[in-house]
Amino acid sequence: MSLPGGSPQPSLLLASLKADCVNKPFFQRCQDLVRVIEDFPAKELHAIFPWLVELVFGSLDGSIVGWNLRCLQERTTPLEFHTALEFLDPAGAMMKLVYKLQAEEYRYDFPVSYLPGPVRASIQERVLPDCPLYHNKVKFPPSGGLGLNLALNPFEYFMFHFAICLITQRNYISGYLCSTSDSAYFILVEKYLKWFLPIEGNVPPPHFSNPGGSVPSPAPRSPSISLTSYGTHPSLLKRHISHQHLVNADPAAQEIWRSETLLQIFVEMWLHHYSLEMYHTMQSPHAKLEALHYRLNVSSTSYIFPALPGSLHSYQEAFQPTEEHVLVVRVLVKHLHTFANSQRPEQSSPSVHSHTQSPLEELKRAVIPRFIQQKLYIFLQHCFGHWPLDASFRAVLEMWLSYVQPWRYVPERPTSPVSNELQNRSVSEKWASFVQENLLIYTKLFLRFLNRAIRSDLVSPKNALMLFRAAKVFSQPNLPEMIQKGEQLLLEPEPVIPHRQHRLLMSPNLGGSYLSSWQPPIMDASFKVKSHVYSLEGQESQYMQMFGSDARNLVLRLAQMIIQAKQTAKSISDKSMDSSDNQSFLSWFGLNSPDLNNTYTGNDVDEVGYDSIRKTDEHLEKALEYLCQIFRLNSAQLGQLTVNLGNVQDENGRNQLPDCIQNENGVFLTALGRQQLINGLRKFDIQYHGDPELQPIRSYENATLVRFLYQLSSMLNDRFGDTMTSVCRRRDFLGRFCSYHLISSPAARRMSPMPSHIALDQTSPRIRLRFLANYWVMFYLLLFYFLSGLLSMGPLTCSFILLIGYLLYAAVKTLIAEKWKPHAD
């Protein structure tokens, strides 16, 4: 990189770096950036920092891809992959630049319009989100300007862009397939989590040449706008805050400000995507009245700005998380469980006061309930309610199952009894408090999953596997009992609520840390469960018990669907074996007439092969066994379900029509009938009643030849129609011969909801040549002519032999047909 001597102007430095991006390869550009970061002071680097962040992560609107970290993989571009990871490493050059600028207390504007929908809408309505990340950072636009901004320090600005590029840039390079777990972005997420939320030891100090010493934490800033707080904490009594508090300057809490900031940014950017109506349902009536009163008062002031198009009242959340998004969230969940479970044993006791713990240990204690519990629950609800009924739901399922199994993410200690617990499938009683404090994530989401399973095609191997995974996790010994105990605590009567208000988990003073003002509550188990449920669902919500009668009926319906799916899978397997054993002689050569009326069964068994049916049957069998263990279903109930299913088949062993209702407007499927269709248990075996020559072109047919042969057939039928009709009416052999080959035989009547009187009259003699467009027919004709050519027979001779052979074959078929008399005059 060529630069003028001395200290260049920031504009010259930026122009030179932009020119290098065009003229130099990626590796050389990164080396130049490393030298610039090392050699130049913060004053010059301050001007290039926003450009460099956009160069790496892309633009916020997604128009600039940047380094495309989500598709950068070692197996495709190893040099660029390792160069990018080294540059963006927590101890790499980019983070050194961040710390350099952090020491000078620079601020950078981040547009509020690119924040997640609920945050954006609330800030635009002057309602401050209940997260310290946004406090004292909202900036008014300059006079005549448009839009709000957040004034962020360099570390926040960098992490905001890193986290949000997972959301903003959804379009990969055309034709480029990316593997999430192998991408540079996925690896960097794991690196940042392990660095700033370490399992062992403390957060490493910043590494950069700073004569002044360590990097200062964010300084308090005077409030510039009066906002109210919307959000809730795990409490029955929500407090409304009508102003921005100053950043808490507790030195102990500020030791881990980078860890808290990283975690808050990841949670806000990845999980805060749902409608504000969900938050309103969780607020107490007192909080709602205060918020309404505040907005009415503040709307009359002279400095209020008008509501923007994406405001609180007009906001409609249309965000749909991707599978990649969910996989990254699962990495966050797994690491936070490991981080929280790495508390020192001597400091995890309730008898130890919080002031004796280090800030990092306090963060471990509070990371699950204070940072992710509420937002993850609503995020999971959104996914369960909006995700398509396909196999991609496996990502959501595994993320949910990772959260409800914190015991799987306990760091191994050689002499600790925890290591022995990991080898035992039984869930230890020490996890009962976690289950109770997250009761809705266990019960409500499990019931929603069962409803999804009922609407899914359980014959599909992937859907059967998902049902098996969920049932296996919830059937772990002692876990159903813990969940049932939590429900009993929730339903326990609460006669003296006012006497318990002093034990409420109060909202902390909104400062720079979640931990600075939070003291662990002293609550009994029943009140703890109620606090959790009311904080997430509101005090007016109706709770459906996981072990209640309604849920039990739901499980019985699912058990019936499982048994039906097992029978369907077995019938598909038997049919495939029968079809391979009962093929006709002509079908060996592909000359049997195709059944153009076949319909798709609706599952993906054909895609993965029939060998997977055995595995599907095993998964369904084990899932049914686990469900019986969870809900204590006895063999008599299952036996009755099996008997009932055995009675729904007709005397030929074939499934009847789906359950439906007939009225004056036609046939309507019932809810049971829709489930039967979705799972492929029953179907309408509908027959095509139109002209066979006008059926849709099949994949084994040549489209051009089909159209040409149809035109040729129509021309011949129009020209010789009367002659063919008169010949077919003759009583001699010629009349029977022409009738057999020119008049379609009536097809066997199939099960159909439609009346049979609409069937097309096919008794008129017609020439049909569409069979010649079949690729197999063309192949065998070419093969016949090729073999005849090897025998020194010309095309005319071959055609004559083929014609004579077909006439003899047709004559024999006519005699046989006459004997059985399939046609009626």
Side-chain angles (χ1 to χ4, degrees):
M1 179 179 64
S2 60
L3 290 173
S7 178
Q9 294 295 327
S11 59
L12 296 179
L13 177 61
L14 180 58
S16 177
L17 291 174
K18 288 183 178 179
D20 289 343
C21 290
V22 179
N23 302 322
K24 292 185 178 182
F26 181 79
F27 177 74
Q28 185 63 41
R29 297 201 309 266
C30 288
Q31 286 186 328
D32 291 343
L33 289 172
V34 172
R35 286 196 295 268
V36 168
I37 293 171
E38 291 286 348
D39 298 340
F40 289 96
K43 183 178 180 180
E44 282 76 18
L45 297 175
H46 165 62
I48 72 167
F49 182 62
W51 167 82
L52 181 57
V53 170
E54 187 174 273
L55 174 69
V56 175
F57 301 122
S59 59
L60 291 173
D61 59 5
S63 59
I64 301 176
V65 179
W67 288 1
N68 197 22
L69 297 173
R70 292 161 57 186
C71 287
L72 193 60
Q73 299 179 4
E74 184 178 17
R75 60 183 177 85
T76 55
T77 53
L79 180 61
E80 290 81 357
F81 175 82
H82 291 289
T83 302
L85 287 184
E86 183 179 357
F87 184 80
L88 298 174
D89 190 83
M94 189 68 175
M95 201 58 67
K96 291 180 182 179
L97 171 61
V98 170
Y99 296 146
K100 253 189 179 183
L101 300 173
Q102 189 79 33
E104 301 296 331
E105 300 185 6
Y106 287 111
R107 290 293 184 270
Y108 301 90
D109 288 343
F110 187 93
V112 170
S113 59
Y114 288 104
L115 293 175
V119 180
R120 177 181 68 249
S122 63
I123 292 179
Q124 290 172 346
E125 280 284 332
R126 309 174 66 82
V127 180
L128 183 66
D130 191 7
C131 176
L133 191 63
Y134 305 109
H135 300 157
N136 308 298
K137 295 183 176 66
V138 180
K139 287 180 55 179
F140 273 118
S143 178
L146 296 176
L148 296 171
N149 293 298
L150 297 179
L152 305 177
N153 63 49
F155 184 80
E156 294 169 337
Y157 187 79
F158 174 81
M159 285 301 172
F160 259 92
H161 280 80
F162 174 77
I164 207 169
C165 75
L166 177 67
I167 311 300
T168 57
Q169 297 185 10
R170 292 174 172 238
N171 298 322
Y172 294 130
I173 298 176
S174 179
Y176 194 89
L177 298 178
C178 303
S179 175
T180 302
S181 59
D182 297 333
S183 67
Y185 186 86
F186 199 87
I187 294 174
L188 283 172
V189 170
E190 293 180 318
K191 282 179 174 287
Y192 289 148
L193 288 174
K194 292 177 181 178
W195 183 274
F196 294 107
L197 299 170
I199 307 304
E200 299 292 340
N202 297 318
V203 181
H207 296 287
F208 79 108
S209 56
N210 180 21
S214 61
V215 177
S217 59
R221 303 181 70 237
S222 299
S224 59
I225 177 174
S226 181
L227 299 170
T228 187
S229 170
Y230 81 89
T232 57
H233 281 291
S235 170
L236 296 179
L237 177 63
K238 286 82 176 178
R239 284 188 173 181
H240 232 63
I241 310 300
S242 60
H243 63 279
Q244 294 192 49
H245 293 272
L246 298 178
V247 176
N248 191 291
D250 182 9
Q254 296 300 341
E255 291 179 9
I256 55 170
W257 68 267
R258 289 178 298 156
S259 303
E260 286 190 68
T261 300
L262 172 87
L263 184 54
Q264 291 173 24
I265 291 174
F266 282 2
V267 170
E268 287 295 307
M269 294 300 103
W270 295 342
L271 298 180
H272 205 154
H273 294 276
Y274 37 81
S275 64
L276 285 173
E277 286 74 9
M278 301 190 71
Y279 254 143
H280 293 326
T281 60
M282 295 185 294
Q283 288 184 297
S284 65
H286 177 69
K288 294 177 182 178
L289 289 175
E290 283 192 8
L292 178 61
H293 175 72
Y294 178 78
R295 282 197 288 270
L296 290 175
N297 288 339
V298 79
S299 62
S300 62
T301 60
S302 59
Y303 58 86
I304 183 72
F305 55 90
L308 299 178
S311 63
L312 182 65
H313 301 293
S314 62
Y315 170 69
Q316 295 292 334
E317 182 59 52
F319 179 80
Q320 294 296 332
T322 61
E323 189 173 353
E324 178 192 19
H325 183 176
V326 174
L327 291 174
V328 173
V329 172
R330 188 189 181 209
V331 172
L332 174 65
V333 169
K334 292 168 64 176
H335 182 82
L336 292 185
H337 270 319
T338 309
F339 177 72
N341 293 333
S342 64
Q343 294 183 65
R344 297 172 185 172
E346 64 273 11
Q347 294 186 355
S348 61
S349 173
S351 62
V352 180
H353 297 289
S354 61
H355 67 269
T356 64
Q357 294 184 329
S358 67
L360 189 63
E361 291 297 318
E362 289 189 27
L363 181 61
K364 292 179 180 179
R365 176 171 52 88
V367 66
I368 297 295
R370 302 290 290 176
F371 283 88
I372 72 165
Q373 183 191 71
Q374 182 187 67
K375 290 185 173 64
L376 181 65
Y377 169 70
I378 303 177
F379 180 78
L380 282 169
Q381 278 210 100
H382 181 80
C383 291
F384 274 63
H386 295 81
W387 206 275
L389 288 172
D390 57 21
S392 64
F393 185 75
R394 176 75 184 275
V396 179
L397 175 71
E398 294 299 336
M399 186 254 289
W400 170 51
L401 295 181
S402 294
Y403 182 81
V404 300
Q405 296 183 92
W407 46 86
R408 292 185 55 197
Y409 307 104
V410 178
E412 295 184 3
R413 300 185 178 95
T415 59
S416 173
V418 176
S419 59
N420 297 328
E421 176 193 340
L422 291 177
Q423 300 176 0
N424 187 0
R425 190 168 178 264
S426 178
V427 181
S428 173
E429 193 64 33
K430 73 175 187 176
W431 298 107
S433 61
F434 180 88
V435 174
Q436 295 167 6
E437 293 169 7
N438 295 269
L439 183 65
L440 288 176
I441 303 181
Y442 285 90
T443 59
K444 185 172 181 178
L445 293 183
F446 184 74
L447 294 179
R448 295 195 68 172
F449 174 76
L450 294 185
N451 276 296
R452 283 185 61 95
I454 288 177
R455 303 195 314 270
S456 302
D457 177 13
L458 297 181
V459 184
S460 167
K462 296 176 183 178
N463 290 335
L465 176 60
M466 285 192 286
L467 179 60
F468 163 76
R469 288 281 297 120
K472 180 180 180 181
V473 167
F474 277 79
S475 68
Q476 295 177 81
N478 206 29
L479 180 58
E481 289 76 13
M482 289 182 184
I483 298 174
Q484 191 168 16
K485 176 62 176 177
E487 290 192 326
Q488 293 173 356
L489 293 173
L490 174 64
L491 301 176
E492 179 182 296
E494 191 72 27
V496 194
I497 293 181
H499 295 257
R500 294 189 173 191
Q501 288 185 354
H502 68 283
R503 291 176 290 150
L504 292 174
L505 184 61
M506 308 300 291
S507 299
N509 293 328
L510 297 180
S513 172
Y514 269 121
L515 308 176
S516 55
S517 60
W518 181 45
Q519 298 297 329
I522 304 175
M523 300 185 295
D524 59 38
S526 176
F527 192 72
K528 187 184 299 184
V529 175
K530 290 181 170 64
S531 176
H532 156 72
V533 173
Y534 294 156
S535 66
L536 294 183
E537 291 288 332
Q539 301 184 33
E540 300 175 357
S541 63
Q542 297 294 326
Y543 178 77
M544 179 178 177
Q545 299 182 52
M546 179 174 168
F547 294 94
S549 58
D550 293 339
R552 190 176 185 85
N553 293 333
L554 181 67
V555 174
L556 289 175
R557 285 176 55 196
L558 179 60
Q560 184 180 25
M561 302 298 292
I562 292 175
I563 297 173
Q564 289 179 336
K566 285 168 56 65
Q567 294 178 353
T568 303
K570 184 178 183 302
S571 65
I572 293 176
S573 178
D574 295 341
K575 185 184 297 183
S576 65
M577 297 178 60
D578 294 340
S579 62
S580 61
D581 294 337
N582 299 328
Q583 290 179 342
S584 63
F585 175 79
L586 292 176
S587 66
W588 297 351
F589 301 97
L591 293 177
N592 55 321
S593 60
D595 183 8
L596 300 180
N597 289 324
N598 282 340
T599 57
Y600 182 61
T601 59
N603 55 60
D604 60 353
V605 175
D606 293 329
E607 299 177 5
V608 297
Y610 288 97
D611 292 340
S612 65
I613 295 180
R614 178 184 56 84
K615 199 68 178 177
T616 301
D617 186 74
E618 293 178 1
H619 286 154
L620 293 175
E621 182 69 30
K622 295 298 293 184
L624 185 59
E625 177 183 339
Y626 291 142
L627 289 174
C628 291
Q629 294 176 8
I630 296 171
F631 295 95
R632 301 179 182 89
L633 301 179
N634 53 47
S635 56
Q637 292 172 312
L638 293 181
Q640 184 61 37
L641 289 177
T642 305
V643 170
N644 294 338
L645 288 176
N647 295 331
V648 301
Q649 294 185 343
D650 59 18
E651 62 276 5
N652 296 323
R654 295 182 57 189
N655 288 336
Q656 299 173 348
L657 291 174
D659 191 64
C660 53
I661 301 175
Q662 178 76 40
N663 58 21
E664 64 277 3
N665 296 324
V667 176
F668 290 90
L669 285 171
T670 64
L672 176 60
R674 286 192 293 270
Q675 294 173 6
Q676 292 169 342
L677 279 179
I678 292 173
N679 288 273
L681 304 175
R682 301 185 188 180
K683 66 178 181 178
F684 292 118
D685 201 358
I686 300 176
Q687 181 184 8
Y688 180 78
H689 294 287
D691 189 349
E693 297 295 301
L694 296 178
Q695 293 191 68
I697 298 174
R698 301 310 199 258
S699 59
Y700 51 80
E701 293 177 323
N702 184 281
T704 303
L705 198 55
V706 167
R707 297 185 180 98
F708 171 76
L709 291 174
Y710 175 74
Q711 294 176 358
L712 179 61
S713 301
S714 300
M715 182 184 65
L716 294 175
N717 291 326
D718 292 340
R719 185 169 182 178
F720 302 105
D722 296 338
T723 304
M724 291 188 295
T725 301
S726 61
V727 172
C728 291
R729 289 176 178 175
R730 296 174 56 170
R731 299 296 183 177
D732 54 6
F733 178 80
L734 180 60
R736 296 195 302 270
F737 181 88
C738 293
S739 299
Y740 183 82
H741 293 89
L742 296 178
I743 299 177
S744 299
S745 58
R749 186 180 181 275
R750 301 185 178 190
M751 294 181 295
S752 172
M754 302 304 297
S756 59
H757 61 78
I758 65 173
L760 183 68
D761 182 19
Q762 300 180 6
T763 59
S764 301
R766 296 179 60 86
I767 296 175
R768 294 180 173 86
L769 302 176
R770 180 166 173 167
F771 73 95
L772 293 175
N774 190 308
Y775 285 119
W776 281 108
V777 174
M778 292 188 287
F779 170 74
Y780 287 122
L781 286 176
L782 290 176
L783 182 62
F784 177 77
Y785 279 101
F786 175 74
L787 295 178
S788 300
L790 295 179
L791 299 176
S792 302
M793 289 189 297
L796 292 177
T797 306
C798 294
S799 301
F800 180 76
I801 294 175
L802 188 63
L803 178 60
I804 295 299
Y806 176 75
L807 290 176
L808 292 176
Y809 168 78
V812 173
K813 292 287 292 182
T814 301
L815 293 175
I816 297 176
E818 174 65 18
K819 178 180 179 181
W820 293 99
K821 296 186 181 297
H823 300 284
D825 294 333

